[in-house]
């Protein structure tokens, strides 16, 4: 079953992709790009780091693209072949031809993609928010393919999404810069609270990207992220790392840590101070160092 273009018009497509290419100029260090064909469409991936180095696949959160990994990519690419992905069901340069309707669809898509990126070789997998939920679903289905797993502020997975987040997310669906800025300032509260010019520009960049995407893409409904059972959490492969900011907005960080320590103590769970759902931005060095430690601890 084919699907129409996700863009509102050809003009909207051209406008968004031109802006995307401009944002991509800030990607740290050299990179190459490719479109990988899957049964769900062509998936855009950005590769950094030495060809032949241990592979590491990075999935973005909902409403974001591979470019959200820019603060972390350079250091991760020193010893890994980093593949940053634009989700087939979200914004960016991927070109969907078939709808993603279930978690199983995401698993099939990611398996087809990584079979091309890392043929016959285990790989590290890290996801943020919605991308972390997809990563967990994949890890349950194909644990043998992973060398290590990192779940950063995962949507669902450990705890249900909070009501406050869902109500604000609904309002953000309106293509209004005011709603987009209000939502992003709430979600990235630690970044918004900083008064330095670099933090202000970073937040404004995220608002610009989110607003332009809403203006350019047709309304869409993502697969709702689910909470894993105790048995599923214990079944996640080793090593699995769970990272969450102390001021997380989409669920209770203390409750998530308590649950993991109670039902799945084999998962490495860590609370990061001075961050919320913006943890990969405001604590980029801390997150990157933790990921490097995880993926280098178990050679691929």
């Amino acid at each position: 079953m084919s699907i129409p273009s996700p863009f509102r018009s050809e003009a909207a497509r051209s406008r968004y992709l031109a802006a995307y290419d401009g944002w991509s100029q800030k990607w740290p260090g050299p990179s190459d790009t490719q479109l990988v064909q899957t049964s769900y469409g062509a998936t855009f991936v950005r590769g950094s780091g030495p060809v032949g180095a241990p592979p590491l696949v990075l999935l973005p959160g909902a409403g974001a693209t591979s470019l959200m990994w820019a603060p972390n990519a350079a250091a991760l690419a020193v010893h890994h072949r980093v593949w940053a992905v634009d989700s087939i069901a979200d914004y960016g340069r991927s070109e969907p031809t078939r709808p993603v309707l279930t978690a199983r669809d995401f698993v099939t898509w990611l398996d087809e993609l990584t079979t091309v990126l890392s043929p016959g070789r285990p790989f590290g997998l890290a996801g943020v928010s919605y991308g972390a939920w997809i990563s967990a679903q994949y890890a349950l289905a194909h644990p043998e393919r992973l060398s290590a797993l990192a779940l950063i502020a995962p949507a669902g997975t450990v705890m249900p999404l909070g009501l406050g987040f869902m109500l604000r997310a609904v309002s953000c669906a309106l293509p209004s810069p005011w709603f987009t800025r209000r939502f992003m300032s709430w979600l990235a509260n630690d970044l918004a609270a900083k008064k330095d010019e670099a933090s202000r520009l970073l937040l404004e960049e995220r608002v610009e990207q989110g607003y332009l995407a809403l203006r350019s893409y047709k309304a869409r409904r993502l697969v709702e992220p689910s909470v894993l059972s105790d048995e599923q959490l214990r079944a996640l492969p080793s090593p699995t790392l769970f990272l969450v900011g102390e001021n997380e907005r989409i669920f209770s960080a203390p409750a998530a840590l308590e649950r993991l320590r109670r039902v799945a103590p084999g998962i490495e769970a860590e609370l990061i101070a001075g961050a919320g759902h913006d943890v990969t931005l405001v604590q980029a060095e801390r997150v990157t160092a933790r990921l490097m430690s995880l993926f280098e601890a178990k050679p691929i």
Side-chain angles (χ1 to χ4, degrees):
M1 177 171 54
S2 62
I3 60 175
S5 169
F7 290 96
R8 294 180 183 270
S9 66
E10 186 57 35
R13 178 182 184 276
S14 297
R15 180 178 61 237
Y16 177 82
L17 294 181
Y20 180 102
D21 291 342
W23 301 328
S24 70
Q25 297 304 308
K26 295 183 179 181
W27 188 262
S31 66
D32 54 82
T33 64
Q34 62 177 295
L35 283 170
V36 177
Q37 296 297 327
T38 75
S39 62
Y40 293 85
T43 301
F44 179 88
V45 294
R46 184 178 302 277
S48 298
V51 175
L56 174 56
V57 176
L58 307 177
L59 299 184
T65 71
S66 56
L67 298 176
M68 71 161 294
W69 287 100
N72 320 97
L76 294 174
V78 173
H79 298 296
H80 291 85
R81 179 58 172 171
V82 170
W83 296 108
V85 178
D86 282 357
S87 174
I88 197 65
D90 215 323
Y91 305 141
R93 277 200 161 273
S94 291
E95 301 171 358
T97 57
R98 176 182 168 193
V100 174
L101 302 175
T102 66
R104 186 66 205 177
D105 285 334
F106 271 124
V107 169
T108 302
W109 161 72
L110 188 54
D111 196 49
E112 293 174 358
L113 174 65
T114 54
T115 296
V116 174
L117 298 178
S118 183
R121 187 180 189 187
F123 59 92
L125 180 60
V128 174
S129 193
Y130 196 77
W133 172 72
I134 296 172
S135 298
Q137 294 294 317
Y138 185 82
L140 290 172
H142 297 287
E144 75 287 348
R145 295 212 60 211
L146 301 184
S147 61
L149 173 67
L151 307 176
I152 304 172
T157 310
V158 179
M159 299 296 294
L161 297 175
L163 180 60
F165 166 75
M166 291 189 288
L167 292 175
R168 287 176 172 85
V170 169
S171 70
C172 187
L174 298 171
S176 159
W178 187 84
F179 281 118
T180 302
R181 178 171 285 102
R182 186 180 73 162
F183 177 72
M184 290 299 299
S185 297
W186 176 82
L187 190 63
N189 180 64
D190 289 84
L191 179 63
K194 292 179 177 292
K195 302 304 181 183
D196 61 285
E197 184 67 6
S199 297
R200 186 190 69 79
L201 290 175
L202 185 56
L203 179 62
E204 286 303 311
E205 182 179 88
R206 294 301 187 272
V207 172
E208 176 194 353
Q209 293 176 5
Y211 175 56
L212 182 59
L214 287 169
R215 284 182 59 209
S216 303
Y217 280 79
K218 298 172 186 173
R220 75 210 193 289
R221 183 170 183 174
L222 294 174
V223 180
E224 184 175 350
S226 53
V227 175
L228 302 186
S229 67
D230 294 351
E231 292 75 17
Q232 287 175 315
L233 287 173
R234 286 192 287 268
L236 290 173
S238 179
T240 290
L241 172 67
F242 174 90
L243 289 180
V244 63
E246 64 175 349
N247 302 319
E248 176 58 62
R249 291 292 206 178
I250 71 172
F251 58 84
S252 166
L257 291 173
E258 190 281 328
R259 183 184 180 213
L260 288 177
R261 289 165 180 162
R262 176 169 47 85
V263 307
I267 293 176
E268 302 175 48
E270 185 173 326
L271 187 72
I272 296 184
H277 205 62
D278 50 9
V279 63
T280 59
L281 296 175
V282 295
Q283 293 292 346
E285 290 186 5
R286 175 78 178 275
V287 170
T288 302
R290 196 64 185 85
L291 293 178
M292 292 171 64
S293 174
L294 172 73
F295 292 114
E296 291 173 9
K298 184 176 180 181
I300 299 177

